[in-house]
Amino acid sequence: MQPWVWLAAYVLGFGLLQVLLYRHFSDRTASPQPTERRVTRADGGRRVAAEATETVVCGHCGAVNESHSMIRYCGACAESLR
């Protein structure tokens, strides 16, 4: 088989892979869920405290993201949240 045929097949296959990956990751939407925090008591017993997380809505795509000092970019579109 000719080298240009292999090259064309590789380029088309790689492009198809990129499109499929983009569609897979762009379909995910963030849904805010309350997080659970485990608290260990001194006597060894455990209790679970449900803690609602604060959220920030992305101004670019509208996705809901967790509000935290270490989170700077949107999880859906990677735009800056600040």
Side-chain angles (χ1 to χ4, degrees):
M1 196 182 264
Q2 298 289 336
W4 61 270
V5 174
W6 283 106
L7 181 63
Y10 174 76
V11 169
L12 288 174
F14 187 73
L16 179 62
L17 175 67
Q18 294 297 315
V19 169
L20 292 175
L21 286 173
Y22 174 76
R23 289 190 59 181
H24 173 72
F25 288 112
S26 67
D27 288 343
R28 292 185 179 181
T29 57
S31 60
Q33 301 275 335
T35 59
E36 289 185 353
R37 179 176 51 115
R38 293 207 176 264
V39 180
T40 305
R41 296 186 295 198
D43 62 357
R46 289 189 174 182
R47 63 188 166 111
V48 176
E51 203 176 77
T53 59
E54 295 180 25
T55 58
V56 175
V57 177
C58 177
H60 184 258
C61 70
V64 179
N65 295 282
E66 182 180 346
S67 176
H68 190 274
S69 62
M70 296 295 289
I71 298 176
R72 297 169 135 180
Y73 301 99
C74 176
C77 68
E79 288 290 321
S80 177
L81 292 174
R82 296 188 174 122

Coordinates of all heavy atoms in Angstrom, one line a residue:
M1 N 0.8 -1.2 0.0 CA 0.0 0.0 0.0 C 0.9 1.2 0.0 O 1.9 1.3 0.6 CB -0.9 0.0 1.2 CG -2.1 0.9 1.1 SD -3.1 1.0 2.6 CE -4.4 -0.1 2.2
Q2 N 0.4 2.3 -0.7 CA 1.2 3.5 -0.8 C 1.3 4.2 0.5 O 0.4 4.2 1.3 CB 0.5 4.4 -1.8 CG 0.4 3.8 -3.2 CD 1.8 3.8 -3.9 OE1 2.7 4.5 -3.5 NE2 2.0 2.9 -4.8
P3 N 2.4 4.9 0.8 CA 2.6 5.7 2.0 C 1.5 6.8 2.2 O 1.1 7.1 3.3 CB 4.0 6.2 2.0 CG 4.7 5.4 1.0 CD 3.7 4.9 0.0
W4 N 1.1 7.4 1.1 CA 0.2 8.5 1.2 C -1.2 8.0 1.6 O -2.0 8.7 2.2 CB 0.1 9.3 -0.1 CG -0.4 8.5 -1.3 CD1 0.4 7.8 -2.2 CD2 -1.7 8.3 -1.7 NE1 -0.3 7.2 -3.1 CE2 -1.7 7.5 -2.9 CE3 -2.9 8.8 -1.3 CZ2 -2.8 7.1 -3.6 CZ3 -4.1 8.4 -2.0 CH2 -4.0 7.5 -3.1
V5 N -1.5 6.7 1.3 CA -2.8 6.1 1.7 C -2.8 5.9 3.2 O -3.7 6.2 3.9 CB -3.1 4.8 1.0 CG1 -4.3 4.1 1.5 CG2 -3.2 5.0 -0.5
W6 N -1.6 5.4 3.8 CA -1.5 5.3 5.2 C -1.6 6.6 5.9 O -2.2 6.7 7.0 CB -0.2 4.6 5.5 CG -0.2 3.1 5.3 CD1 0.4 2.5 4.3 CD2 -0.8 2.1 6.1 NE1 0.2 1.2 4.3 CE2 -0.6 0.9 5.5 CE3 -1.6 2.2 7.2 CZ2 -1.0 -0.3 6.0 CZ3 -2.1 1.0 7.7 CH2 -1.8 -0.2 7.1
L7 N -1.0 7.6 5.4 CA -1.0 9.0 5.9 C -2.4 9.5 5.9 O -2.8 10.1 6.9 CB 0.0 9.9 5.2 CG 0.0 11.3 5.7 CD1 0.6 11.3 7.1 CD2 0.9 12.2 4.8
A8 N -3.1 9.4 4.9 CA -4.5 9.9 4.8 C -5.4 9.1 5.8 O -6.2 9.7 6.5 CB -5.0 9.7 3.4
A9 N -5.2 7.8 5.9 CA -6.0 7.0 6.9 C -5.7 7.5 8.3 O -6.6 7.6 9.1 CB -5.7 5.6 6.7
Y10 N -4.4 7.7 8.6 CA -4.0 8.2 9.9 C -4.6 9.5 10.2 O -5.2 9.7 11.3 CB -2.5 8.2 10.0 CG -2.0 8.8 11.3 CD1 -2.1 8.1 12.5 CD2 -1.6 10.1 11.4 CE1 -1.6 8.6 13.7 CE2 -1.1 10.7 12.6 CZ -1.2 9.9 13.7 OH -0.8 10.5 14.9
V11 N -4.6 10.5 9.3 CA -5.1 11.8 9.5 C -6.6 11.8 9.7 O -7.2 12.4 10.6 CB -4.7 12.8 8.4 CG1 -5.5 14.1 8.5 CG2 -3.2 13.0 8.4
L12 N -7.3 11.0 8.9 CA -8.8 10.9 9.1 C -9.1 10.2 10.4 O -10.1 10.6 11.1 CB -9.4 10.1 7.9 CG -9.4 10.9 6.6 CD1 -9.9 10.0 5.5 CD2 -10.3 12.1 6.7
G13 N -8.4 9.1 10.7 CA -8.7 8.5 12.0 C -8.4 9.3 13.2 O -9.2 9.4 14.2
F14 N -7.3 10.1 13.2 CA -7.0 11.0 14.3 C -8.0 12.1 14.4 O -8.5 12.5 15.5 CB -5.6 11.6 14.1 CG -5.1 12.4 15.2 CD1 -4.7 11.7 16.4 CD2 -5.1 13.7 15.2 CE1 -4.3 12.5 17.5 CE2 -4.6 14.5 16.2 CZ -4.2 13.8 17.4
G15 N -8.5 12.6 13.3 CA -9.5 13.7 13.3 C -10.8 13.1 13.8 O -11.5 13.8 14.6
L16 N -11.2 11.9 13.5 CA -12.4 11.3 14.0 C -12.3 11.1 15.5 O -13.3 11.4 16.2 CB -12.7 10.0 13.3 CG -13.9 9.2 13.7 CD1 -15.2 10.0 13.5 CD2 -14.0 7.9 13.1
L17 N -11.2 10.7 16.0 CA -11.0 10.5 17.4 C -11.1 11.8 18.1 O -11.8 11.8 19.2 CB -9.6 9.9 17.6 CG -9.2 9.7 19.1 CD1 -10.0 8.7 19.8 CD2 -7.7 9.4 19.2
Q18 N -10.6 12.9 17.6 CA -10.7 14.2 18.2 C -12.1 14.6 18.3 O -12.6 15.2 19.3 CB -9.8 15.2 17.5 CG -8.4 15.0 17.6 CD -7.8 15.0 19.0 OE1 -8.2 15.9 19.7 NE2 -7.0 14.1 19.4
V19 N -12.9 14.4 17.3 CA -14.3 14.8 17.3 C -15.1 14.0 18.3 O -15.9 14.6 19.0 CB -14.9 14.7 15.8 CG1 -16.4 14.8 15.9 CG2 -14.3 15.7 14.9
L20 N -14.8 12.7 18.4 CA -15.5 11.9 19.3 C -15.2 12.3 20.8 O -16.1 12.3 21.6 CB -15.2 10.4 19.1 CG -15.8 9.8 17.8 CD1 -15.3 8.4 17.6 CD2 -17.3 9.9 17.8
L21 N -13.9 12.5 21.0 CA -13.5 13.0 22.4 C -14.2 14.3 22.7 O -14.6 14.5 23.8 CB -12.0 13.1 22.5 CG -11.3 11.7 22.6 CD1 -9.8 12.0 22.5 CD2 -11.7 11.0 23.8
Y22 N -14.2 15.2 21.8 CA -14.8 16.5 22.0 C -16.3 16.4 22.4 O -16.8 17.0 23.3 CB -14.7 17.5 20.8 CG -15.4 18.8 21.0 CD1 -14.9 19.8 21.8 CD2 -16.6 19.0 20.3 CE1 -15.6 20.9 21.9 CE2 -17.3 20.1 20.5 CZ -16.8 21.1 21.3 OH -17.5 22.3 21.4
R23 N -17.0 15.6 21.6 CA -18.4 15.3 21.9 C -18.7 14.7 23.2 O -19.6 15.0 23.9 CB -19.1 14.5 20.7 CG -19.2 15.4 19.4 CD -20.0 14.7 18.4 NE -21.3 14.4 18.9 CZ -22.3 13.8 18.3 NH1 -22.0 13.4 17.1 NH2 -23.4 13.6 18.8
H24 N -17.8 13.7 23.5 CA -18.0 13.0 24.8 C -17.8 14.0 26.0 O -18.6 14.0 26.9 CB -16.9 11.9 24.9 CG -16.9 11.2 26.2 ND1 -17.9 10.4 26.6 CD2 -16.0 11.3 27.3 CE1 -17.6 9.9 27.9 NE2 -16.5 10.5 28.2
F25 N -16.8 14.8 26.0 CA -16.5 15.7 27.1 C -17.4 16.9 27.1 O -17.6 17.5 28.1 CB -15.0 16.1 27.2 CG -14.2 14.9 27.6 CD1 -13.3 14.3 26.7 CD2 -14.3 14.4 28.9 CE1 -12.5 13.2 27.1 CE2 -13.5 13.3 29.3 CZ -12.6 12.8 28.4
S26 N -17.9 17.3 26.0 CA -18.8 18.5 25.9 C -20.2 18.2 26.4 O -20.9 19.1 26.7 CB -18.7 19.2 24.6 OG -19.4 18.3 23.6
D27 N -20.6 16.9 26.3 CA -21.9 16.6 26.8 C -22.1 16.5 28.3 O -23.2 16.5 28.8 CB -22.3 15.2 26.2 CG -22.6 15.3 24.7 OD1 -22.8 16.4 24.2 OD2 -22.6 14.2 24.0
R28 N -21.0 16.5 29.0 CA -21.1 16.5 30.5 C -21.6 17.8 31.0 O -21.1 18.9 30.6 CB -19.8 16.1 31.1 CG -19.4 14.7 30.8 CD -18.1 14.4 31.5 NE -17.7 13.0 31.2 CZ -16.7 12.5 31.7 NH1 -15.9 13.1 32.5 NH2 -16.4 11.2 31.4
T29 N -22.5 17.8 31.9 CA -23.0 19.0 32.6 C -22.8 18.8 34.0 O -23.0 17.7 34.6 CB -24.4 19.3 32.2 OG1 -25.2 18.2 32.6 CG2 -24.6 19.6 30.8
A30 N -22.4 19.8 34.7 CA -22.2 19.8 36.1 C -23.5 20.0 36.9 O -24.2 20.9 36.6 CB -21.2 20.8 36.6
S31 N -23.8 19.1 37.8 CA -25.0 19.2 38.6 C -24.6 19.4 40.0 O -23.9 18.5 40.5 CB -26.0 18.0 38.4 OG -25.3 16.9 38.8
P32 N -25.0 20.4 40.7 CA -24.6 20.6 42.1 C -25.2 19.6 43.0 O -26.4 19.4 43.0 CB -25.1 22.0 42.4 CG -26.2 22.3 41.4 CD -25.9 21.5 40.2
Q33 N -24.3 18.9 43.7 CA -24.8 17.9 44.7 C -24.2 18.3 46.1 O -23.0 18.7 46.1 CB -24.2 16.5 44.3 CG -24.6 16.1 42.9 CD -26.0 15.4 43.0 OE1 -26.3 14.9 44.0 NE2 -26.7 15.4 41.9
P34 N -24.9 18.1 47.1 CA -24.3 18.4 48.4 C -23.3 17.4 48.7 O -23.4 16.2 48.4 CB -25.5 18.3 49.4 CG -26.6 17.6 48.7 CD -26.3 17.8 47.2
T35 N -22.2 17.8 49.4 CA -21.1 16.9 49.7 C -21.3 16.4 51.1 O -21.9 17.0 51.9 CB -19.8 17.6 49.5 OG1 -19.7 18.7 50.4 CG2 -19.5 18.0 48.1
E36 N -20.7 15.2 51.4 CA -20.7 14.7 52.7 C -19.4 14.8 53.3 O -18.4 14.6 52.7 CB -21.2 13.2 52.7 CG -22.6 13.0 52.4 CD -23.0 11.6 52.5 OE1 -22.1 10.7 52.8 OE2 -24.2 11.3 52.4
R37 N -19.4 15.2 54.6 CA -18.1 15.3 55.3 C -18.1 14.4 56.5 O -19.1 14.4 57.3 CB -17.9 16.7 55.8 CG -16.7 17.0 56.5 CD -16.5 18.5 56.8 NE -17.7 19.0 57.5 CZ -17.8 19.5 58.7 NH1 -16.7 19.5 59.5 NH2 -18.9 19.9 59.2
R38 N -17.2 13.5 56.6 CA -17.1 12.6 57.8 C -16.4 13.2 58.9 O -15.3 13.7 58.8 CB -16.5 11.3 57.4 CG -17.2 10.5 56.4 CD -16.9 9.0 56.5 NE -17.7 8.2 55.6 CZ -18.9 7.7 56.0 NH1 -19.3 7.8 57.2 NH2 -19.6 7.0 55.1
V39 N -17.0 13.2 60.1 CA -16.4 13.7 61.3 C -16.2 12.6 62.3 O -17.1 11.8 62.6 CB -17.4 14.8 61.9 CG1 -16.7 15.3 63.2 CG2 -17.7 15.9 60.9
T40 N -14.9 12.4 62.7 CA -14.6 11.3 63.6 C -14.6 11.9 65.0 O -13.9 12.9 65.3 CB -13.2 10.7 63.3 OG1 -13.2 10.3 62.0 CG2 -12.9 9.6 64.2
R41 N -15.3 11.3 65.9 CA -15.4 11.7 67.3 C -14.3 11.1 68.1 O -13.7 10.1 67.7 CB -16.8 11.4 67.9 CG -17.9 12.2 67.2 CD -19.2 12.0 67.9 NE -19.6 10.6 67.8 CZ -20.8 10.2 68.0 NH1 -21.7 11.0 68.3 NH2 -21.1 8.9 67.9
A42 N -14.0 11.6 69.3 CA -12.9 11.1 70.1 C -13.2 9.6 70.5 O -12.3 8.9 70.8 CB -12.7 12.0 71.3
D43 N -14.5 9.3 70.7 CA -14.8 7.9 71.2 C -14.8 6.9 70.1 O -15.2 5.7 70.3 CB -16.2 7.9 71.9 CG -17.3 8.3 71.0 OD1 -17.1 8.7 69.8 OD2 -18.5 8.3 71.5
G44 N -14.4 7.3 68.9 CA -14.3 6.3 67.8 C -15.6 6.2 66.9 O -15.6 5.7 65.8
G45 N -16.7 6.8 67.4 CA -18.0 6.8 66.6 C -17.9 7.8 65.5 O -17.0 8.7 65.5
R46 N -18.7 7.6 64.5 CA -18.7 8.6 63.4 C -20.1 9.1 63.1 O -21.1 8.4 63.3 CB -18.2 7.9 62.1 CG -16.8 7.6 62.1 CD -16.3 7.1 60.7 NE -14.9 7.0 60.7 CZ -14.2 6.6 59.7 NH1 -14.8 6.4 58.6 NH2 -12.9 6.5 59.8
R47 N -20.1 10.4 62.7 CA -21.4 10.9 62.3 C -21.1 11.6 61.0 O -20.0 12.1 60.7 CB -21.9 11.9 63.3 CG -21.1 13.1 63.5 CD -21.5 13.9 64.7 NE -20.5 14.8 65.1 CZ -20.5 16.1 64.9 NH1 -21.6 16.7 64.4 NH2 -19.5 16.9 65.3
V48 N -22.1 11.7 60.1 CA -22.0 12.3 58.8 C -22.7 13.6 58.8 O -23.9 13.7 59.1 CB -22.5 11.4 57.7 CG1 -22.5 12.0 56.4 CG2 -21.8 10.1 57.7
A49 N -22.1 14.7 58.4 CA -22.7 16.0 58.4 C -22.8 16.3 56.9 O -21.8 16.4 56.2 CB -21.8 17.0 59.1
A50 N -24.0 16.5 56.4 CA -24.2 17.0 55.0 C -24.0 18.4 54.9 O -24.5 19.2 55.7 CB -25.7 16.6 54.6
E51 N -23.2 18.8 54.0 CA -22.7 20.2 53.8 C -23.0 20.6 52.4 O -22.5 20.0 51.5 CB -21.2 20.2 54.1 CG -20.7 21.6 54.6 CD -19.3 21.4 54.9 OE1 -18.5 21.4 53.9 OE2 -18.9 21.3 56.1
A52 N -23.9 21.6 52.2 CA -24.1 22.1 50.9 C -23.0 23.0 50.4 O -22.5 23.8 51.2 CB -25.4 23.0 50.9
T53 N -22.5 22.7 49.2 CA -21.4 23.5 48.7 C -21.9 24.8 48.0 O -23.0 24.8 47.4 CB -20.6 22.7 47.7 OG1 -21.5 22.3 46.6 CG2 -20.0 21.4 48.3
E54 N -21.1 25.8 48.0 CA -21.5 27.0 47.3 C -21.1 26.8 45.9 O -20.1 26.1 45.5 CB -20.7 28.2 47.9 CG -21.1 28.5 49.3 CD -20.3 29.7 49.8 OE1 -19.8 30.5 49.0 OE2 -20.1 29.8 51.0
T55 N -21.8 27.4 45.0 CA -21.6 27.2 43.5 C -21.4 28.6 42.9 O -21.8 29.6 43.3 CB -22.8 26.5 42.9 OG1 -23.9 27.3 43.1 CG2 -22.9 25.1 43.4
V56 N -20.7 28.5 41.7 CA -20.5 29.7 40.9 C -20.9 29.3 39.5 O -20.6 28.2 39.0 CB -19.0 30.0 40.9 CG1 -18.7 31.2 39.9 CG2 -18.5 30.4 42.2
V57 N -21.7 30.2 38.8 CA -22.1 29.9 37.5 C -21.1 30.5 36.5 O -20.8 31.7 36.6 CB -23.5 30.5 37.2 CG1 -24.0 30.3 35.8 CG2 -24.5 29.8 38.2
C58 N -20.7 29.8 35.5 CA -19.7 30.3 34.5 C -20.4 31.3 33.6 O -21.5 31.1 33.1 CB -19.2 29.1 33.7 SG -18.1 29.6 32.3
G59 N -19.8 32.4 33.5 CA -20.3 33.5 32.6 C -20.2 33.2 31.1 O -20.9 33.8 30.3
H60 N -19.4 32.2 30.8 CA -19.2 31.9 29.4 C -20.2 30.9 28.9 O -20.9 31.0 27.9 CB -17.8 31.5 29.1 CG -17.5 31.2 27.7 ND1 -17.4 29.9 27.2 CD2 -17.2 32.0 26.7 CE1 -17.1 30.0 25.9 NE2 -16.9 31.3 25.6
C61 N -20.3 29.7 29.6 CA -21.1 28.6 29.2 C -22.4 28.4 30.0 O -23.2 27.6 29.7 CB -20.3 27.3 29.0 SG -19.8 26.6 30.6
G62 N -22.4 29.0 31.2 CA -23.5 28.8 32.1 C -23.5 27.6 33.0 O -24.4 27.2 33.7
A63 N -22.4 26.8 33.0 CA -22.2 25.6 33.8 C -22.1 26.0 35.3 O -21.5 27.1 35.6 CB -21.0 24.8 33.4
V64 N -22.6 25.2 36.2 CA -22.5 25.4 37.6 C -21.2 24.7 38.1 O -21.0 23.5 37.8 CB -23.7 24.8 38.3 CG1 -23.6 25.0 39.8 CG2 -25.0 25.4 37.8
N65 N -20.3 25.5 38.8 CA -19.1 25.0 39.3 C -19.0 25.2 40.8 O -19.7 26.1 41.3 CB -17.9 25.7 38.7 CG -17.8 25.5 37.2 OD1 -17.3 24.5 36.8 ND2 -18.3 26.4 36.4
E66 N -18.2 24.4 41.5 CA -18.0 24.5 42.9 C -17.2 25.8 43.2 O -16.3 26.1 42.5 CB -17.3 23.3 43.4 CG -17.1 23.3 44.9 CD -16.4 22.0 45.4 OE1 -16.3 21.1 44.6 OE2 -15.9 22.1 46.5
S67 N -17.6 26.5 44.2 CA -16.9 27.7 44.6 C -15.8 27.3 45.6 O -16.1 26.8 46.7 CB -17.9 28.7 45.2 OG -17.1 29.8 45.7
H68 N -14.6 27.5 45.2 CA -13.5 27.2 46.1 C -12.3 28.1 45.7 O -12.2 28.5 44.6 CB -13.1 25.7 45.9 CG -12.1 25.3 46.9 ND1 -10.7 25.4 46.8 CD2 -12.3 24.6 48.1 CE1 -10.1 24.9 47.9 NE2 -11.1 24.4 48.7
S69 N -11.5 28.5 46.7 CA -10.4 29.4 46.4 C -9.4 28.8 45.4 O -8.7 29.6 44.7 CB -9.7 29.8 47.7 OG -9.1 28.6 48.3
M70 N -9.3 27.5 45.3 CA -8.3 26.9 44.4 C -8.9 26.7 43.0 O -8.1 26.4 42.1 CB -7.8 25.5 45.0 CG -7.1 25.6 46.3 SD -5.5 26.5 46.1 CE -4.6 25.3 45.2
I71 N -10.2 26.8 42.8 CA -10.8 26.6 41.5 C -10.8 27.9 40.8 O -11.5 28.8 41.2 CB -12.2 25.9 41.6 CG1 -12.1 24.6 42.3 CG2 -12.8 25.8 40.3 CD1 -13.4 23.9 42.6
R72 N -10.1 28.0 39.6 CA -10.1 29.2 38.9 C -10.8 29.1 37.5 O -11.2 30.1 37.0 CB -8.6 29.6 38.6 CG -7.8 29.8 39.8 CD -6.4 29.9 39.4 NE -5.7 31.0 39.9 CZ -4.5 31.3 39.7 NH1 -3.8 30.6 38.9 NH2 -3.9 32.3 40.3
Y73 N -11.0 27.9 37.0 CA -11.5 27.7 35.7 C -12.7 26.8 35.7 O -12.9 26.0 36.5 CB -10.4 27.1 34.7 CG -9.2 28.0 34.7 CD1 -8.1 27.7 35.4 CD2 -9.2 29.1 33.8 CE1 -6.9 28.5 35.3 CE2 -8.1 29.9 33.8 CZ -6.9 29.6 34.5 OH -5.8 30.4 34.5
C74 N -13.6 27.1 34.7 CA -14.8 26.3 34.6 C -14.5 24.9 34.2 O -13.6 24.6 33.4 CB -15.7 26.9 33.5 SG -17.2 26.0 33.1
G75 N -15.2 23.9 34.8 CA -14.9 22.5 34.5 C -15.5 22.1 33.2 O -15.1 21.0 32.7
A76 N -16.4 22.8 32.6 CA -17.0 22.5 31.3 C -16.3 23.1 30.1 O -16.1 22.4 29.2 CB -18.5 22.9 31.3
C77 N -15.9 24.4 30.2 CA -15.4 25.0 29.1 C -14.0 25.6 29.3 O -13.4 26.1 28.4 CB -16.3 26.2 28.6 SG -16.4 27.6 29.8
A78 N -13.4 25.5 30.5 CA -12.1 25.9 30.8 C -11.9 27.4 30.8 O -10.7 27.9 30.7 CB -11.0 25.1 30.0
E79 N -12.9 28.2 30.8 CA -12.8 29.6 30.8 C -12.6 30.1 32.3 O -13.0 29.4 33.2 CB -14.1 30.3 30.3 CG -14.2 30.2 28.8 CD -13.2 31.0 28.0 OE1 -12.9 32.2 28.5 OE2 -12.7 30.5 27.0
S80 N -12.0 31.2 32.5 CA -11.7 31.7 33.8 C -13.1 32.1 34.5 O -14.0 32.7 33.9 CB -10.9 33.0 33.7 OG -10.7 33.5 35.0
L81 N -13.2 31.7 35.8 CA -14.4 32.0 36.6 C -14.3 33.4 37.2 O -15.2 33.8 37.8 CB -14.6 30.9 37.6 CG -15.0 29.6 37.1 CD1 -15.0 28.6 38.2 CD2 -16.3 29.6 36.4
R82 N -13.1 34.0 37.2 CA -12.9 35.3 37.8 C -12.9 36.4 36.8 O -12.6 36.4 35.7 CB -11.7 35.3 38.6 CG -11.8 34.3 39.7 CD -10.6 34.3 40.7 NE -11.0 33.4 41.7 CZ -10.2 32.4 42.1 NH1 -9.1 32.2 41.5 NH2 -10.6 31.6 43.1

